Amino acid sequence: MGDPTKSGIRYHIAFVILAFFFVGTVVPIILYQQEWYKDWLRGLPFDVRILVHPAMRMVFAFVGWLVVCRMVQDRERIRMGLLMPPMQAIKAFALGFACSLAMFAFGVFAEPNEIHYTLVYSSLLPGVTEEIFYRAFAFGLLIQAARMNLWAAAFTTAIVFGLAHLVRSDVRAMPIGEMIGWLAMLSAGGLFFAWIYARAPWNLWVVIALHAGMNLWWDIFFNHETPPFNGLVTTIARIIPVGIAVYLVIFRGVLRESSATTIKA
């Protein structure tokens, strides 16, 4: 994969991408602090309420995508990695989910949570919408359209990805030291997800499956106080799936053949 920054950063395009990215991140957080907004959300059915913030970010992502595509001449080379050839999408999804099974291997020693349909909302929904917004839209466009350096784009989007979790009341209720550690771990995950996505290359399904799978096993096995799962063990359980994915995608190049046939969007 060539270096998209050779022609120099397109600062005007980077500004537009970052504007949509930061507004799409901040607006839901600000709204959630307003009592009138929380009252409005409480009046919605649960299945609708849980979709409001992800849907809001998807609107920002796809409108921003269309705006940026109109700004660049080589837009046929810009891709999200969603509309892949079927076998490449299946292979990438299977690889990402298989890597997440390392977390399942830890979880079989725990007392599982009660499994119910809300797991769909806390595992599959973030796995899809957060990867579209943070990786495909913000990170992907900063490199492909704005020609930003990979690591600059990865660090920028990863930090915002971590800080965006401050909207969760359970995160804000943590002691400051624990909160900083939690946000740093989330940001590190966002950084590695971006690296995997770029080297897939641009096959979003691998990080969607990895993200959704890790969320699923977390909700089933780890999201409660169950011995012997202290902070160190749960951290290791998160690191191993990502490490396997980094090894297979980046160092072994198991998805690299997709670069010749990936189609736009």
Side-chain angles (χ1 to χ4, degrees):
M1 184 170 59
D3 183 358
T5 66
K6 284 184 178 179
S7 300
I9 296 177
R10 296 164 166 171
Y11 288 100
H12 63 298
I13 296 178
F15 175 81
V16 172
I17 296 167
L18 291 172
F20 274 96
F21 178 48
F22 285 116
V23 172
T25 299
V26 171
V27 165
I29 295 175
I30 293 177
L31 284 175
Y32 202 72
Q33 308 308 311
Q34 310 304 312
E35 289 300 326
W36 65 266
Y37 181 73
K38 288 191 282 189
D39 290 339
W40 175 73
L41 283 180
R42 293 187 194 103
L44 298 175
F46 174 81
D47 299 277
V48 176
R49 183 169 68 245
I50 205 73
L51 295 172
V52 171
H53 284 182
M56 198 180 300
R57 286 188 175 136
M58 291 304 92
V59 170
F60 279 106
F62 284 105
V63 172
W65 179 272
L66 293 174
V67 171
V68 170
C69 282
R70 292 183 64 88
M71 296 175 67
V72 296
Q73 294 180 344
D74 55 346
R75 57 181 173 270
E76 70 279 357
R77 299 182 60 190
I78 300 173
R79 56 186 69 93
M80 276 193 175
L82 283 171
L83 300 182
M84 305 293 296
M87 289 309 298
Q88 290 180 18
I90 293 171
K91 179 180 179 180
F93 190 92
L95 173 67
F97 191 77
C99 290
S100 80
L101 291 176
M103 198 168 179
F104 170 80
F106 277 80
V108 294
F109 296 101
E111 180 73 23
N113 283 330
E114 180 182 354
I115 301 174
H116 49 81
Y117 78 105
T118 56
L119 288 178
V120 174
Y121 295 111
S122 57
S123 59
L124 181 59
L125 186 64
V128 174
T129 60
E130 290 181 0
E131 293 309 313
I132 290 175
F133 184 73
Y134 291 100
R135 252 62 72 184
F137 169 65
F139 170 74
L141 284 189
L142 283 173
I143 294 179
Q144 298 178 77
R147 296 173 178 167
M148 184 179 284
N149 174 270
L150 184 149
W151 291 111
F155 273 104
T156 300
T157 55
I159 290 171
V160 176
F161 172 69
L163 292 176
H165 288 77
L166 285 171
V167 72
R168 291 172 42 178
S169 59
D170 59 330
V171 174
R172 296 197 306 272
M174 292 177 178
I176 186 66
E178 184 179 349
M179 180 193 299
I180 292 173
W182 181 262
L183 295 177
M185 183 176 59
L186 290 170
S187 296
L191 181 70
F192 280 104
F193 279 17
W195 192 22
I196 293 168
Y197 170 53
R199 299 306 186 204
W202 309 122
N203 189 331
L204 193 64
W205 291 103
V206 63
V207 284
I208 285 177
L210 179 62
H211 191 161
M214 291 179 66
N215 281 358
L216 177 64
W217 307 131
W218 172 263
D219 283 326
I220 294 176
F221 297 115
F222 298 91
N223 196 17
H224 60 309
E225 296 295 330
T226 301
F229 291 103
N230 54 30
L232 177 61
V233 175
T234 56
T235 298
I236 293 173
R238 293 189 190 98
I239 291 174
I240 290 178
V242 178
I244 294 173
V246 167
Y247 172 74
L248 292 175
V249 174
I250 296 172
F251 295 104
R252 299 293 297 177
V254 296
L255 298 176
R256 201 164 292 155
E257 70 274 13
S258 65
S259 59
T261 52
T262 302
I263 59 179
K264 67 179 180 178

